[in-house]
Amino acid sequence: MNTDVIQIHKNECINCQVGSSLSFRPLVEYLKDRLKTEKSVKSEFYRFLLQKIEKDDVLLGTISAEELSKYKDTLELIFTILTPLMDDEDDLFWALSTPIPDQIFFSTNAFYKFFKDHDPKNKVGQDSEPVEKKQLKFIYNIILGRFYNFTSVLKNEIIYGHINQETKLTQYYNIQTDTKFVDIIHKGDLPEINFEELGRHFQEDTELEYLVKNLPLGEFHFEGFSIISITDVTLQHAIDGIRNALVNHNYQTEAYTHVIQALKSLSGDGRLEFGLMPFLTVNKKLVFDNKEFSQSMLINSAKASNLEEEVFYSLVDKYKENPRAIFVSAINDDQITKDPFLKVLKAAGVCSYSVLPIYYNTQLAGVLEVYSNQEVLVDDKLLSRLRSALPLIGQLFQYSIEEFDSKMDEVLMDKFTALQPSVQWKFNEAVWHFLQGKNSNRKLKEIETVTFKNMYPLFGAIDIRNSTTERNKALKDDLNVLLNSLIDTLKAIRKMITLDLTDKLLFNCKDWIKRIGSFASSNEENQLNEFLENEVYPFLSIIKGNYPETAETINNYFQVIVPATGDAYANRRQLEVSMQLINTEVSQYLEKSQAKLQASYPCYFAKFRTDGVEYDIYIGQEIAPEKPFDLLYLKNIRLWQLTSMVEIARLSKGLIGEMPRPLETTQMIFIHSNAIDISFRNDERRFDVEGAYNIRYEVVKKRIDKVLIKGTTERLTQPHKIALVYFNQDEAKEYMEYIKYMQVQGFLNDDLEGLELDELQGVSGLKALRVGVKYLDNKKESPKKLKASELKSIEKEIAKMLQN
């Protein structure tokens, strides 16, 4: 035992204006009370200690901590009576201190060494609360409990951690203070406390300000001594760390990192590392190319070794059939022969590797990896330390699986279904009504049709100019490459072997080269494919088998016709890449832009891929019943529609330099001023218009993409132009004001055309506006400057129009 005085806070609590005195009088009173009721042999020990203390008069009054070193025998008796008999002082962290812990005057050797080796102020976490404030809370906590029977949620304990120099792991300790032998004396009448008001201050963390004002510490005096004990809580702290990761619902790399660090502390072995591998599935098949697996050593090692995915999947699927704990203390050739997956781990520097299956509700959720670059035996002692964490890791894996599935569903809903957040509320109502009908035994066999009435439609189309012509040209260019390569192959074969059939095939190939220049239908392409499949390829196969010297020449030809890499598909691949580039960029632009529209007023936005991109927008009161609809929102979205077409034209023009096969786009808007009804077709999983008059709107949409200017052979849609199709002049008036505004802003050229269009099948009387897009050059051309009077006039027109 040690009687050296240890100064804890070094006078840091200078404003804790409370009197205190070190005394054993409270212990004496306690022993006297116990002797009145204690009938066992303990009474003799209590009586002996009491006589020992009373013999030294100085112990009955106030004494300094430094003086107590003279009474070591008495202090050891106190230690004996206050601690379990079986505790070994060399392992027990226990000490006596002044009533308000400031000086430690008696301690076990273990406590004294611990205190000297570690700084008790090195608290865990981001707790930067000053020592003085903590001391005040400690004091008031005792006073409120003793005098007002008020129990605070705060405990008289401190958690702190330090790095173990041997294991390099953080260990956590709980310092607790027992004030059983501290008497508190108050001078005068005890102040009244409004505990309802105090409770509010506790919630706002301002309780000290209230207590200092209403319960002055100068009126209190602390007498006696405190007992300080330290407990290793590393295991519990590690488990709590894993629980916190679950509660915080942060299941990605940050949470996984915290959990792995907690597992290291739990293991107590600095040589061990841990990996977490939840089993995520797509269509009931495991997938691993996901950031959640950045914490898996096996996944990272497999990627580093370029292990084929099929091999890895088969290994894991085999493990899922028979999940079991695998312990490999040393990876050697015999182990690798038994478990081939260990080869990639050894290449990554792993020496020992173990796997523990993790379950959630009896279902396999993933595996926990335990590995090291040294030989480490995973024994029962380690497993017992980890066992309490396994259910929590199972819960963590389940959260990861659920979040992954949720992300899949979110993207699926966003990219592949017509159901959008702006209309989902109505589908929810329809489902609820359907379920209510089933539960109440009503005859509701079919779910109700989801309908939105009086919706204002907007339609836009971004088309790839001459896409059909470009496809035909790419096909013809590729067929030329194919046939010329085939001719070269047949000529090479003719030099090696003599067969009349070779000359006949050469003749056919040359004839096909002449014919492909005038392909007019897919039927002719089919005839060429039949010639190749039925005559050429069987011939080449037989020749290759019977004449080995021709194998290399024939193999080279078949390399040419591989769709993914061969030269005979190069033009079509380049065309597809160019079209995909345009469509992807346009789609992404529309996705980002429509998100801003939804913020102003909810609308239904449906986007479709054709050779280009088309979209439908519907806006109206029924789509957002709780938000009043005004035509102002419709005008805003129409102005956006015209502006977005300019931006898309600029975007697609800027992509030309990146395209392997340059393509241009055309932009068209169909103006329809009257509201229509739309309903969701359950069989087709999409929205469609309702009513005969409304169907006319759909008919026009589908037929105007190739409409001609009346009396000419010129298509309405042209590159670098925006075409706006309408029926009535009143419908065009609003857009003409927008065009004027955008011309002033430098978006459009001063070349607005008013055009009449040819009749379409079942559609007549169509008109159009067409205006050129103003592109921004490298000099950042500034917009046209108008006179102040002209600009003011246009602004007034726009303002007046938006108010109507």
Side-chain angles (χ1 to χ4, degrees):
M1 302 298 292
N2 199 290
T3 56
D4 289 347
V5 176
I6 303 173
Q7 190 71 35
I8 299 178
H9 294 303
K10 301 179 181 178
N11 299 320
E12 288 171 296
C13 190
I14 57 177
N15 292 322
C16 297
Q17 300 299 322
V18 60
S20 68
S21 55
L22 177 57
S23 170
F24 291 89
R25 186 188 59 77
L27 176 61
V28 170
E29 298 298 329
Y30 170 81
L31 293 173
K32 288 179 179 180
D33 288 340
R34 286 297 300 270
L35 284 172
K36 294 177 183 177
T37 57
E38 186 63 55
K39 303 300 181 182
S40 68
V41 71
K42 290 182 181 179
S43 62
E44 295 302 320
F45 191 72
Y46 292 158
R47 189 173 288 106
F48 176 76
L49 176 58
L50 184 58
Q51 292 172 353
K52 180 75 171 173
I53 296 175
E54 290 178 335
K55 182 180 178 181
D56 299 315
D57 294 338
V58 67
L59 295 177
L60 296 174
T62 302
I63 189 172
S64 68
E66 289 77 11
E67 292 180 81
L68 284 171
S69 61
K70 303 174 184 176
Y71 307 96
K72 184 176 181 182
D73 292 345
T74 303
L75 295 176
E76 288 183 347
L77 285 173
I78 294 173
F79 166 76
T80 303
I81 201 173
L82 296 181
T83 58
L85 184 63
M86 298 300 293
D87 284 349
D88 186 344
E89 69 157 301
D90 289 331
D91 299 323
L92 181 64
F93 301 103
W94 188 93
L96 299 178
S97 77
T98 50
I100 298 175
D102 185 51
Q103 290 179 306
I104 294 172
F105 56 85
F106 184 72
S107 58
T108 61
N109 292 333
F111 185 99
Y112 185 81
K113 183 178 185 301
F114 180 90
F115 198 94
K116 289 298 184 182
D117 289 345
H118 311 113
D119 183 358
K121 292 181 292 182
N122 181 23
K123 307 298 187 301
V124 169
Q126 300 177 347
D127 183 6
S128 58
E129 194 171 45
V131 173
E132 179 181 346
K133 190 173 182 180
K134 284 185 173 294
Q135 190 78 306
L136 280 172
K137 285 185 176 181
F138 170 80
I139 293 169
Y140 274 116
N141 198 27
I142 299 173
I143 291 174
L144 291 172
R146 294 282 183 91
F147 290 93
Y148 298 94
N149 197 30
F150 179 87
T151 304
S152 170
V153 294
L154 300 174
K155 297 180 180 179
N156 292 331
E157 63 181 24
I158 297 172
I159 303 293
Y160 84 96
H162 77 96
I163 303 297
N164 186 305
Q165 295 304 311
E166 294 182 5
T167 64
K168 304 302 180 184
L169 298 175
T170 303
Q171 291 179 298
Y172 297 90
Y173 293 88
N174 182 357
I175 301 179
Q176 292 183 310
T177 304
D178 188 344
T179 58
K180 179 187 296 184
F181 299 110
V182 176
D183 287 343
I184 307 174
I185 304 163
H186 180 263
K187 304 170 187 176
D189 296 332
L190 199 65
E192 291 187 6
I193 299 294
N194 185 332
F195 285 97
E196 185 176 342
E197 186 177 354
L198 177 60
R200 289 197 299 269
H201 282 285
F202 266 107
Q203 292 178 357
E204 298 170 2
D205 197 27
T206 58
E207 72 277 9
L208 286 184
E209 290 83 344
Y210 175 85
L211 290 170
V212 168
K213 180 180 178 181
N214 294 278
L215 197 61
L217 288 180
E219 298 176 1
F220 293 91
H221 184 83
F222 283 56
E223 180 183 356
F225 64 90
S226 295
I227 303 168
I228 300 176
S229 59
I230 300 178
T231 308
D232 188 336
V233 293
T234 301
L235 298 184
Q236 186 57 47
H237 193 276
I239 295 297
D240 290 343
I242 298 175
R243 284 199 181 97
N244 288 339
L246 296 176
V247 172
N248 291 336
H249 286 205
N250 179 4
Y251 318 127
Q252 306 307 321
T253 53
E254 183 180 348
Y256 277 36
T257 300
H258 290 321
V259 171
I260 287 173
Q261 191 58 45
L263 289 171
K264 289 182 181 179
S265 297
L266 202 59
S267 72
D269 191 336
R271 298 172 298 169
L272 292 180
E273 298 289 341
F274 293 85
L276 302 173
M277 188 195 301
F279 286 167
L280 310 186
T281 61
V282 174
N283 296 331
K284 297 182 180 181
K285 295 182 179 179
L286 289 169
V287 292
F288 297 100
D289 189 13
N290 196 282
K291 63 182 179 181
E292 276 84 349
F293 293 101
S294 61
Q295 302 292 351
S296 167
M297 187 62 193
L298 181 59
I299 296 295
N300 292 335
S301 300
K303 289 180 179 179
S305 298
N306 295 317
L307 183 68
E308 293 184 6
E309 287 188 356
E310 291 76 9
V311 175
F312 186 81
Y313 289 161
S314 65
L315 289 172
V316 179
D317 286 336
K318 185 178 179 181
Y319 178 84
K320 284 189 68 178
E321 294 174 1
N322 181 28
R324 68 195 190 284
I326 300 175
F327 304 104
V328 182
S329 58
I331 299 178
N332 51 42
D333 292 341
D334 291 339
Q335 291 287 350
I336 291 174
T337 302
K338 184 178 178 182
D339 294 306
F341 74 89
L342 295 173
K343 183 177 181 180
V344 297
L345 290 167
K346 185 175 183 180
V350 176
C351 185
S352 63
Y353 183 81
S354 300
V355 171
L356 301 176
I358 301 297
Y359 294 88
Y360 177 79
N361 285 348
T362 71
Q363 296 295 317
L364 185 66
V367 296
L368 170 66
E369 301 171 306
V370 186
Y371 61 94
S372 176
N373 57 5
Q374 303 176 40
E375 289 190 16
V376 178
L377 178 63
V378 177
D379 55 17
D380 291 340
K381 182 179 179 181
L382 174 60
L383 292 177
S384 66
R385 294 170 70 94
L386 296 177
R387 190 166 289 116
S388 58
L390 299 186
L392 297 176
I393 296 174
Q395 181 72 69
L396 181 67
F397 282 179
Q398 181 64 21
Y399 285 162
S400 292
I401 292 169
E402 290 174 357
E403 184 170 349
F404 176 76
D405 291 343
S406 177
K407 287 180 180 177
M408 290 284 293
D409 291 342
E410 181 182 344
V411 175
L412 185 68
M413 291 284 289
D414 181 46
K415 302 297 182 183
F416 297 107
T417 72
L419 195 56
Q420 297 178 7
S422 60
V423 297
Q424 185 171 346
W425 64 270
K426 197 150 190 175
F427 285 85
N428 293 340
E429 285 186 354
V431 172
W432 173 236
H433 294 158
F434 178 72
L435 293 177
Q436 276 185 309
K438 292 182 67 175
N439 294 337
S440 61
N441 296 321
R442 286 186 295 174
K443 295 181 179 180
L444 184 61
K445 297 181 180 180
E446 296 293 334
I447 197 165
E448 66 189 71
T449 301
V450 174
T451 302
F452 294 95
K453 295 184 179 297
N454 297 317
M455 305 300 294
Y456 291 93
L458 297 95
F459 173 76
I462 300 91
D463 193 27
I464 294 176
R465 180 63 166 170
N466 296 328
S467 57
T468 302
T469 303
E470 291 289 341
R471 286 185 189 278
N472 289 336
K473 185 175 185 304
L475 173 63
K476 292 174 182 179
D477 290 344
D478 282 340
L479 292 180
N480 262 308
V481 172
L482 182 149
L483 290 169
N484 280 306
S485 178
L486 179 56
I487 288 172
D488 292 341
T489 301
L490 293 173
K491 286 180 177 179
I493 291 173
R494 190 172 59 182
K495 291 180 180 179
M496 300 178 200
I497 59 174
T498 302
L499 285 173
D500 292 340
L501 186 56
T502 306
D503 291 324
K504 190 262 184 184
L505 292 177
L506 275 169
F507 172 80
N508 289 343
C509 288
K510 292 175 182 178
D511 182 56
W512 272 111
I513 287 179
K514 296 176 183 177
R515 293 172 60 183
I516 60 174
S518 58
F519 267 9
S521 68
S522 58
N523 183 51
E524 292 167 304
E525 182 185 351
N526 291 335
Q527 291 177 12
L528 173 58
N529 287 331
E530 288 178 9
F531 164 67
L532 295 171
E533 294 288 343
N534 297 333
E535 297 186 43
V536 175
Y537 297 156
F539 170 79
L540 295 178
S541 179
I542 293 170
I543 294 299
K544 177 182 174 182
N546 293 334
Y547 302 94
E549 64 271 25
T550 66
E552 182 177 355
T553 299
I554 294 174
N555 286 340
N556 289 340
Y557 168 74
F558 281 111
Q559 288 296 318
V560 170
I561 62 172
V562 175
T565 57
D567 290 344
Y569 286 85
N571 291 284
R572 279 171 284 182
R573 287 199 306 271
Q574 289 176 355
L575 178 62
E576 287 302 320
V577 168
S578 297
M579 295 179 71
Q580 286 292 332
L581 179 61
I582 291 175
N583 288 338
T584 300
E585 292 294 329
V586 170
S587 293
Q588 289 178 353
Y589 172 84
L590 289 173
E591 287 289 342
K592 293 177 182 177
S593 296
Q594 72 104 359
K596 296 178 181 178
L597 289 178
Q598 301 286 3
S600 61
Y601 194 91
C603 60
Y604 180 77
F605 189 104
K607 177 165 51 66
F608 312 97
R609 287 279 183 97
T610 55
D611 270 351
V613 179
E614 296 180 357
Y615 63 81
D616 280 315
I617 303 176
Y618 299 101
I619 187 171
Q621 182 64 73
E622 281 208 2
I623 211 163
E626 297 181 0
K627 185 173 183 177
F629 177 74
D630 190 276
L631 289 179
L632 174 68
Y633 297 116
L634 176 61
K635 294 172 180 178
N636 179 69
I637 203 171
R638 285 173 174 170
L639 180 58
W640 167 85
Q641 186 182 30
L642 186 56
T643 305
S644 66
M645 284 299 189
V646 174
E647 295 295 346
I648 289 172
R650 289 175 173 178
L651 175 66
S652 58
K653 184 174 185 294
L655 292 173
I656 289 178
E658 302 177 33
M659 299 180 200
R661 201 175 181 96
L663 299 172
E664 294 182 315
T665 62
T666 63
Q667 292 70 224
M668 182 182 65
I669 294 170
F670 177 40
I671 306 171
H672 188 84
S673 297
N674 297 323
I676 63 176
D677 300 340
I678 61 172
S679 61
F680 190 79
R681 293 187 180 275
N682 296 339
D683 54 344
E684 299 180 16
R685 297 293 191 269
R686 66 180 182 86
F687 276 102
D688 205 351
V689 297
E690 286 288 325
Y693 176 77
N694 296 334
I695 290 174
R696 184 166 178 259
Y697 167 75
E698 283 291 320
V699 171
V700 175
K701 271 174 42 183
K702 294 176 180 178
R703 294 180 181 174
I704 57 174
D705 60 329
K706 295 180 175 61
V707 67
L708 303 178
I709 297 174
K710 192 170 185 178
T712 73
T713 57
E714 181 186 349
R715 290 266 295 270
L716 169 64
T717 54
Q718 296 291 333
H720 320 302
K721 300 273 187 178
I722 297 175
L724 301 94
V725 181
Y726 62 95
F727 278 105
N728 303 315
Q729 190 63 34
D730 290 340
E731 292 178 324
K733 183 178 178 182
E734 181 179 336
Y735 280 87
M736 290 177 69
E737 298 296 340
Y738 297 146
I739 290 170
K740 289 180 184 178
Y741 170 71
M742 293 180 65
Q743 286 172 334
V744 173
Q745 296 300 313
F747 287 93
L748 299 172
N749 293 324
D750 294 334
D751 58 356
L752 179 63
E753 303 172 86
L755 305 169
E756 291 190 11
L757 305 180
D758 267 355
E759 290 189 5
L760 300 173
Q761 182 182 355
V763 181
S764 61
L766 285 175
K767 300 180 179 63
L769 299 174
R770 190 167 66 182
V771 63
V773 174
K774 195 175 187 68
Y775 294 107
L776 300 177
D777 58 19
N778 295 331
K779 296 179 181 180
K780 296 184 178 179
E781 179 182 346
S782 58
K784 170 189 172 184
K785 299 294 183 182
L786 295 184
K787 295 179 181 179
S789 58
E790 293 177 316
L791 183 59
K792 189 173 182 180
S793 174
I794 293 175
E795 289 175 345
K796 283 183 177 180
E797 289 182 63
I798 295 291
K800 183 179 179 181
M801 177 194 61
L802 291 174
Q803 290 174 356
N804 292 332

